Amino acid sequence: MRAIGFVRAIGLVLALGAGTSPVSAQQASSWDDLRVLELLERGTATRQAAALDGLRAYTADARGYVYFFLDRQAGEERNLVKTDQLAVRVYWKAPGLTRQHILGRRDERRLPTNIRYHLDHLIVIQENFGDVIRIGDGDEVASVLHPLAPGAAAWYEFMLADSITVAFADGLDPVRVFEVQVRPRDSDQPGFVGTLYLDQETAAVVRMNFTFTPASYVDRQLDYIRVSLENALWDRRYWLPYRQSVEIRRKIPFFDLPVGSVIRGRWEIGDYDFEVDLPDTFFLGPQVMRNSDRMLAAFPFERDLYAQVDEEGLAPTAELIDIEAEATRLVRGRYLSGLRRLRLALPPLSEAVRYNRAEGWVTQGGLNLRATNRLRLETLLGYTYAASRPLGRVSAVFEDPHRERPSTVGLDLFLREPRDIGPVAGSSRVMNTLSSLLHQTDWTDPYFATGARVRAGRSFGPVSARAELRYERHHGARVAAGGDPAGWRPVRVIEEGDLTAIRLSASLGSPDLLFGEAGGTWGSFEGAPYQEASLRLAAGRRWLAHGVELRSTLDAAAVSEGAPLQSLYLLGGRETLPGYDYRSLAGNGFWLLRVEGSRQLFGPWLRIRGTGAAGRTRLTFAEIPETWDARVPRITRFSAGLGLALGWDLVQIDVVRGLNGGSWEVVLDLNRRFRDLF
């Protein structure tokens, strides 16, 4: 039995607005008008009916993936921890008898975890939830009234927002669907916040996209839960489950760390059979059955374990992104997270406590306040013990999760913010602290900046545009840490003074797949104007089922006369051109190509790696200070090497050779994907 083939058309209509018939301004002008209340009454009656237009029973087959992963504050980088693939047989009989049978399940861990899912994370949501919505077997959401439950009109406000007319290719009469926005009358109480899509004729649920108010969450670690349920018209009459997505994000309640954990379930349901005879006795006993472990593992899945994530990645679907924007608008920007508004701000461990030759020991911490769902205030204050000086940053960030054009505006005030001459960090922060402590080897070329910046960003579909205006005073650094002063690599001198600059940039794509970014800077240092242009291209591909990964990046930039010394670029050694003296190549322009590929040998403990790099700097106007111990190469430098990744790919050891005038080098560091977590 197949669904009428308009399900994809509905998605296109909702996303693009094609073929829509908007509700008139009078119809959509107010909450709780008579027309929307009448529609909701019919929707409630349809849900409570013992049978839907003669529907007595059905079975269906569902296939799903459940992902557990880590995501960053900005949401760009995601680290997959565990993947589960499931096959479930779904049973239903009027009036509201349900049962599910887990036929197959397989899983694999990419990082260490002991997570155990609630049972309802591993099955399909039937009947668009019951009259009281429960998630996580009641441990996550326990008592949220469904907006189509009896008495819901006293708990929620409703507004008729739009209508959609969907035409069918096979001659079936068009279907009109109404979009109804829902919010609680009291946002301090447990409640549903989101959108219902109801069939005009039957008032049956076509789609539900929603999240919850903070009071809805039982588990105080919950940041949010977002749900998208999409039904299809089966057998030309019945609106029944077709596609479902649920995303659950957690963070530590009292500490605002720059990473959260996410559980995301994605389901597709089909192969409905309405010609079944299910006796009432079949539904006695537990609502969920499961095969033996041996039978679960032996189930013949139609797709690979990583097929979906290889094709689509871990980025949230358009429906899940829209849920946040729509819910924020409906509650007028009020706070929607289940986490505390005020929390201790803890940067990654390597930033909370670090050690280097210019600062010695540094400790940092602060407080973060989420004033509304759109506005957050952040502080990060610290102290450098060797230099006996404070440092820190205070930020205000306003985020507008608009459906089509999400935007961010921020203001930062910073004191003695550490900078590195770069252009690429020479080591992870953890490794730099360890090497500084154990071997007096500091991979940074530090200086400090004090000032302010205003930043703004907006997305236009796949393109993201950013602007930044900053004023800052640059301060030089000196060796301040303990140990033999002669044992440290000399600190490179910089030009001290005031800098004002504006930078514009635009990017396209995903950093994990195909990505491009171009930017330009127009600035002035101590009254001398300068310009800078930069380009970054990246491409990556993972075949998780085969344990193979490929990644390449091309970086290039040039800065004009008038820029301070610290704007020059340094190449050589680890992270840029391994096998050559560290940061021994300097210039006001550079290009750098890096390629790496890896294959898992004995997962998750051992992976073999191959790396290659090529690059060059160019100097057209400045003189490099003798104390920098750097030069301009006359030829392009190449390097190549082999290595191993150990223990869930966390630690990488590469043996690399500089191919023209270089030498052998052993590079030990953390995987780039995990550096900002530690």
Side-chain angles (χ1 to χ4, degrees):
M1 189 69 64
R2 297 174 57 249
I4 298 300
F6 81 102
V7 175
R8 295 186 182 274
I10 283 238
L12 289 174
V13 166
L14 293 177
L16 304 177
T20 62
S21 300
V23 177
S24 69
Q26 290 182 343
Q27 293 169 336
S29 61
S30 63
W31 291 89
D32 290 342
D33 63 29
L34 292 178
R35 187 176 184 194
V36 73
L37 292 179
E38 186 274 334
L39 178 65
L40 267 295
E41 286 180 6
R42 292 198 296 120
T44 300
T46 297
R47 274 177 54 84
Q48 301 301 316
L52 301 175
D53 191 22
L55 177 62
R56 298 298 177 184
Y58 67 76
T59 65
D61 285 326
R63 300 291 183 267
Y65 291 92
V66 179
Y67 304 109
F68 177 55
F69 59 91
L70 306 178
D71 73 340
R72 309 299 200 272
Q73 195 77 23
E76 293 183 353
E77 182 74 21
R78 299 171 181 88
N79 300 115
L80 183 61
V81 179
K82 185 175 184 285
T83 301
D84 287 72
Q85 186 180 19
L86 295 118
V88 174
R89 177 68 56 79
V90 179
Y91 303 90
W92 181 91
K93 183 179 180 179
L97 299 176
T98 64
R99 198 169 202 185
Q100 299 190 47
H101 187 178
I102 302 176
L103 305 174
R105 181 182 182 184
R106 57 181 175 179
D107 67 279
E108 186 170 292
R109 292 171 172 82
R110 308 292 299 182
L111 289 172
T113 181
N114 61 353
I115 186 171
R116 297 184 64 183
Y117 297 116
H118 289 95
L119 184 58
D120 61 0
H121 296 162
L122 305 176
I123 58 175
V124 173
I125 297 168
Q126 291 185 261
E127 297 187 316
N128 306 297
F129 289 103
D131 289 343
V132 175
I133 298 175
R134 291 167 52 89
I135 297 178
D137 301 325
D139 293 335
E140 293 164 344
V141 171
S143 56
V144 171
L145 186 68
H146 195 290
L148 292 177
W155 195 259
Y156 293 107
E157 294 179 298
F158 303 94
M159 184 168 69
L160 196 60
D162 203 350
S163 69
I164 302 159
T165 300
V166 182
F168 298 95
D170 60 357
L172 192 68
D173 290 340
V175 171
R176 195 175 189 193
V177 176
F178 284 125
E179 177 185 346
V180 179
Q181 296 172 345
V182 185
R183 68 185 184 195
R185 296 185 182 277
D186 183 354
S187 295
D188 294 327
Q189 298 298 318
F192 173 115
V193 183
T195 307
L196 300 173
Y197 296 89
L198 303 180
D199 181 357
Q200 179 193 28
E201 181 179 352
T202 65
V205 174
V206 176
R207 175 182 285 177
M208 295 170 57
N209 289 346
F210 64 95
T211 184
F212 300 98
T213 59
S216 307
Y217 299 122
V218 178
D219 184 349
R220 303 320 301 173
Q221 298 183 70
L222 285 168
D223 184 5
Y224 61 74
I225 296 178
R226 296 171 185 161
V227 182
S228 176
L229 306 181
E230 183 178 332
N231 297 330
L233 192 60
W234 298 94
D235 202 29
R236 298 174 178 256
R237 291 180 291 173
Y238 312 126
W239 291 101
L240 298 172
Y242 174 74
R243 184 181 290 125
Q244 300 181 351
S245 296
V246 179
E247 184 174 272
I248 303 168
R249 189 174 194 264
R250 285 184 171 85
K251 296 189 74 173
I252 298 175
F254 301 101
F255 301 104
D256 193 5
L257 297 173
V259 63
S261 65
V262 176
I263 297 171
R264 180 182 297 149
R266 296 179 179 177
W267 288 92
E268 292 191 359
I269 306 99
D271 292 329
Y272 279 83
D273 183 0
F274 301 107
E275 306 299 327
V276 292
D277 184 15
L278 299 175
D280 290 349
T281 55
F282 175 80
F283 296 92
L284 298 177
Q287 288 191 326
V288 180
M289 305 178 292
R290 63 186 298 274
N291 283 343
S292 66
D293 291 343
R294 181 183 60 80
M295 295 178 66
L296 290 174
F299 185 85
F301 284 98
E302 299 86 357
R303 306 185 72 195
D304 291 337
L305 178 62
Y306 294 108
Q308 188 179 76
V309 73
D310 278 338
E311 295 170 3
E312 303 176 16
L314 291 172
T317 62
E319 290 83 1
L320 293 176
I321 294 173
D322 286 348
I323 288 170
E324 177 187 9
E326 185 66 9
T328 299
R329 189 185 65 81
L330 289 175
V331 298
R332 304 182 185 91
R334 292 189 61 175
Y335 188 65
L336 281 176
S337 173
L339 300 170
R340 295 173 180 266
R341 292 174 181 263
L342 182 66
R343 291 187 293 157
L344 293 173
L346 287 182
L349 178 62
S350 57
E351 282 295 287
V353 180
R354 67 173 183 263
Y355 184 81
N356 58 63
R357 71 188 189 281
E359 298 174 297
W361 283 107
V362 177
T363 58
Q364 294 187 104
L367 290 172
N368 287 353
L369 173 65
R370 194 68 183 248
T372 69
N373 214 44
R374 295 176 175 173
L375 177 64
R376 68 176 188 269
L377 305 175
E378 302 174 346
T379 62
L380 186 64
L381 306 176
Y383 193 76
T384 61
Y385 292 93
S388 300
R389 290 178 176 174
L391 73 158
R393 183 181 68 249
V394 178
S395 302
V397 182
F398 180 84
E399 297 172 313
D400 182 8
H402 190 278
R403 280 186 174 186
E404 288 82 23
R405 299 180 300 278
S407 61
T408 302
V409 177
L411 170 65
D412 305 307
L413 306 176
F414 46 91
L415 173 67
R416 292 188 62 81
E417 184 174 79
R419 302 283 177 81
D420 187 12
I421 294 177
V424 179
S427 172
S428 65
R429 295 171 299 213
V430 168
M431 192 59 63
N432 195 67
T433 291
L434 291 176
S435 63
S436 296
L437 282 171
L438 299 176
H439 304 295
Q440 287 191 235
T441 302
D442 182 357
W443 301 111
T444 66
D445 286 294
Y447 65 98
F448 303 101
T450 297
R453 61 177 160 255
V454 178
R455 48 194 168 90
R458 170 164 283 191
S459 294
F460 302 89
V463 177
S464 296
R466 288 172 294 279
E468 179 182 279
L469 173 65
R470 56 192 169 102
Y471 167 78
E472 53 194 38
R473 181 165 185 82
H474 290 182
H475 316 271
R478 62 180 180 82
V479 174
D484 180 8
W488 293 102
R489 186 167 59 90
V491 174
R492 301 183 196 243
V493 297
I494 69 159
E495 296 181 63
E496 296 190 338
D498 294 336
L499 180 146
T500 304
I502 182 170
R503 176 173 172 80
L504 304 176
S505 63
S507 61
L508 173 67
S510 164
D512 282 339
L513 300 173
L514 189 63
F515 178 77
E517 182 177 41
T521 300
W522 294 262
S524 172
F525 184 78
E526 289 293 295
Y530 73 92
Q531 299 82 40
E532 182 185 36
S534 64
L535 174 69
R536 178 177 178 81
L537 301 175
R541 184 69 190 272
R542 303 182 200 176
W543 294 269
L544 294 176
H546 303 287
V548 175
E549 296 188 21
L550 298 176
R551 181 184 295 254
S552 63
T553 59
L554 174 63
D555 292 281
V559 66
S560 72
E561 189 173 2
L565 276 174
Q566 53 270 29
S567 297
L568 299 183
Y569 311 106
L570 298 172
L571 300 183
R574 53 190 298 133
E575 296 301 318
T576 57
L577 293 169
Y580 299 93
D581 291 340
Y582 185 68
R583 291 186 171 177
S584 59
L585 311 176
N588 66 299
F590 86 99
W591 66 266
L592 175 65
L593 173 67
R594 293 174 291 174
V595 179
E596 63 181 57
S598 64
R599 183 182 180 88
Q600 187 170 284
L601 293 181
F602 304 104
W605 307 109
L606 184 64
R607 174 183 289 270
I608 190 170
R609 292 166 38 82
T611 64
R616 188 172 182 176
T617 61
R618 182 168 179 259
L619 189 68
T620 59
F621 67 86
E623 289 188 5
I624 303 171
E626 291 185 6
T627 57
W628 275 33
D629 191 23
R631 62 191 185 279
V632 181
R634 296 182 178 179
I635 58 174
T636 298
R637 303 290 185 176
F638 298 89
S639 63
L642 293 173
L644 299 173
L646 307 175
W648 311 92
D649 299 342
L650 287 172
V651 178
Q652 297 175 345
I653 305 174
D654 295 324
V655 179
V656 189
R657 171 78 181 184
L659 299 180
N660 47 344
S663 59
W664 290 101
E665 182 177 359
V666 178
V667 179
L668 171 66
D669 214 328
L670 296 180
N671 188 324
R672 292 189 189 96
R673 285 201 190 100
F674 305 107
R675 290 182 182 179
D676 59 345
L677 298 179
F678 298 98

